[in-house]
Amino acid sequence: MRRYTLFTGLPRELDRWADSLRDCASFSADGLLDDVLLVTWSGALDESPDAQALVERHGVIVTEIRDVDDPGDGNLWRQMRCMQVGLDLMEPDDVVVKTRTDLYIDADLLRHRIEAASASDVTSPVQGVRAFTQRIWVPWFEITKPFYLADECMVGLARDLQAITHEDHRYDDESIDPGVGRAHIRRFIHPFRDIDPRVDAVLTFGSDDRLVKDDRFEVLADRLQDEMYLDVLGLYYAIVQTHFRIGAEPATDRIDFREWSDAKTSIDPGEFDANFAPSCSWRPDYGHVYCYDERWLDRLYAGEVTSSVVADAVRSSMQAAMTMPALEGTSIG
């Protein structure tokens, strides 16, 4: 097993990248990291002498590829192609930190995540199936919209990251529209589509959730009375709890990237219904509600959040998905 940091995309925010590369050098000196890779577009380094200097100073292994003809919604296909090219350079059991040059992860947090991925952090079955070998770490997940998880950085085994790296254009069908966050959802739903027919509902009902609209939370309140929505939400939470690690153990300002990356606006770990409200959104007029601490799902599963009809229905769906006996042939990725 080898351990890599894989940067993808164009070299941007070079001060952040320089900080990341210094941490990588420290990890390498401690025997925690083997190589640093950059997969970027042909000619990108020629246009940035400062980035080229960082590559040479830190011994970054560069792979240049031709830009894709269709970048896709949210640059999805560009992201997938870069990631695929990088993963193809690795063995299935190699540990990978997938990140980008314009993002910085606190060194202590990243060290902890690499060490955890290098140990045994196996998944538990959901609906009787394991889609990954080990859990994948991501910084956050959106609590109202199934399969809307962070994709800006992640840590996991190469074989598991391969499962969420695809160029499947079935998702371009006009009948499939998960709405806001579709690039994230296409990535993370992919290895789970065969475990349960309810998963496919996410690809259609998401377009009506009114994210980034004035009536976002009124519509969400109605959805929390919909049995099907609560059932799918419980399945989603079961998948997150069994196949992912979430957050920064917990802390704020440990990821420097976007406004929502600071984790300063979060949910109440002892509540359920109260978290589906503008006060828990990083920007209420947009309406996203991010969870940066996986312990909320632990408490929900154990019945340690404030009880309600909604919370109990979601917990019941979650528990049903996680207690189904494991099936033979544990991987569907």
Side-chain angles (χ1 to χ4, degrees):
M1 179 184 70
R2 294 177 64 81
R3 288 166 286 200
Y4 297 91
T5 295
L6 170 63
F7 293 95
T8 60
L10 293 171
R12 299 189 178 100
E13 301 285 346
L14 298 188
D15 288 344
R16 286 182 187 170
W17 196 28
D19 289 340
S20 295
L21 291 173
R22 280 193 291 270
D23 290 344
C24 288
S26 176
F27 297 157
S28 295
D30 294 341
L32 193 62
L33 192 66
D34 293 292
D35 288 306
V36 179
L37 312 180
L38 170 66
V39 179
T40 189
W41 313 123
S42 299
L45 293 175
D46 295 336
E47 298 175 6
S48 178
D50 290 341
Q52 181 65 52
L54 285 172
V55 164
E56 294 172 359
R57 184 180 311 142
H58 292 280
V60 178
I61 301 169
V62 177
T63 300
E64 293 187 324
I65 62 174
R66 186 180 67 83
D67 197 358
V68 298
D69 296 327
D70 174 16
D73 184 71
N75 280 320
L76 175 68
W77 303 128
R78 278 180 172 154
Q79 296 172 17
M80 292 292 192
R81 180 65 56 83
C82 278
M83 195 162 165
Q84 186 63 65
V85 169
L87 292 173
D88 285 345
L89 300 172
M90 304 169 192
E91 295 299 322
D93 290 326
D94 289 339
V95 171
V96 184
V97 178
K98 181 273 173 191
T99 184
R100 37 191 298 165
T101 62
D102 56 351
L103 180 151
Y104 177 74
I105 307 173
D106 175 83
D108 290 338
L109 169 61
L110 187 54
R111 180 183 293 273
H112 173 65
R113 295 318 325 169
I114 295 172
E115 290 173 345
S118 302
S120 180
D121 189 15
V122 299
T123 59
S124 300
V126 61
Q127 294 295 96
V129 175
R130 291 182 175 92
F132 306 152
T133 305
Q134 292 193 176
R135 297 184 189 190
I136 295 172
W137 172 82
V138 296
W140 52 263
F141 71 99
E142 213 282 340
I143 73 169
T144 75
K145 186 150 190 160
F147 299 99
Y148 193 170
L149 293 92
D151 65 358
E152 59 265 28
C153 57
M154 55 189 78
V155 181
L157 296 185
R159 71 166 74 245
D160 297 328
L161 297 186
Q162 286 275 15
I164 55 172
T165 305
H166 67 89
E167 297 181 59
D168 190 333
H169 285 271
R170 287 181 301 166
Y171 297 92
D172 293 334
D173 189 287
E174 291 183 358
S175 66
I176 294 177
D177 182 12
V180 173
R182 57 179 59 83
H184 296 254
I185 293 165
R186 285 180 174 200
R187 176 186 292 280
F188 289 107
I189 200 172
H190 191 67
F192 299 100
R193 287 191 67 183
D194 293 334
I195 71 169
D196 191 292
R198 292 174 292 173
V199 171
D200 267 359
V202 174
L203 295 172
T204 54
F205 72 48
S207 60
D208 299 323
D209 59 22
R210 305 297 289 175
L211 267 171
V212 201
K213 303 292 184 182
D214 291 343
D215 59 348
R216 151 66 167 161
F217 285 99
E218 288 83 354
V219 170
L220 179 58
D222 290 339
R223 285 200 158 186
L224 290 171
Q225 308 306 312
D226 184 320
E227 290 184 6
M228 185 194 79
Y229 175 69
L230 300 182
D231 197 35
V232 174
L233 205 61
L235 175 60
Y236 167 51
Y237 290 171
I239 288 170
V240 173
Q241 191 178 33
T242 57
H243 284 70
F244 294 89
R245 290 293 184 190
I246 303 293
E249 284 77 46
T252 59
D253 290 324
R254 300 191 77 178
I255 297 176
D256 189 7
F257 179 53
R258 299 286 191 260
E259 185 179 348
W260 60 82
S261 302
D262 59 20
K264 288 180 178 176
T265 302
S266 193
I267 61 177
D268 186 329
E271 295 291 337
F272 190 81
D273 294 27
N275 291 323
F276 294 77
S279 60
C280 295
S281 176
W282 75 276
R283 183 170 170 175
D285 58 329
Y286 278 16
H288 304 74
V289 182
Y290 296 132
C291 177
Y292 305 89
D293 186 351
E294 65 188 34
R295 294 177 301 177
W296 180 62
L297 291 182
D298 295 337
R299 293 187 178 105
L300 173 61
Y301 184 85
E304 296 172 357
V305 300
T306 300
S307 181
S308 70
V309 172
V310 173
D312 293 346
V314 173
R315 179 186 306 111
S316 178
S317 173
M318 187 180 180
Q319 291 175 337
M322 292 172 62
T323 55
M324 180 178 289
L327 305 175
E328 287 192 22
T330 58
S331 176
I332 62 172

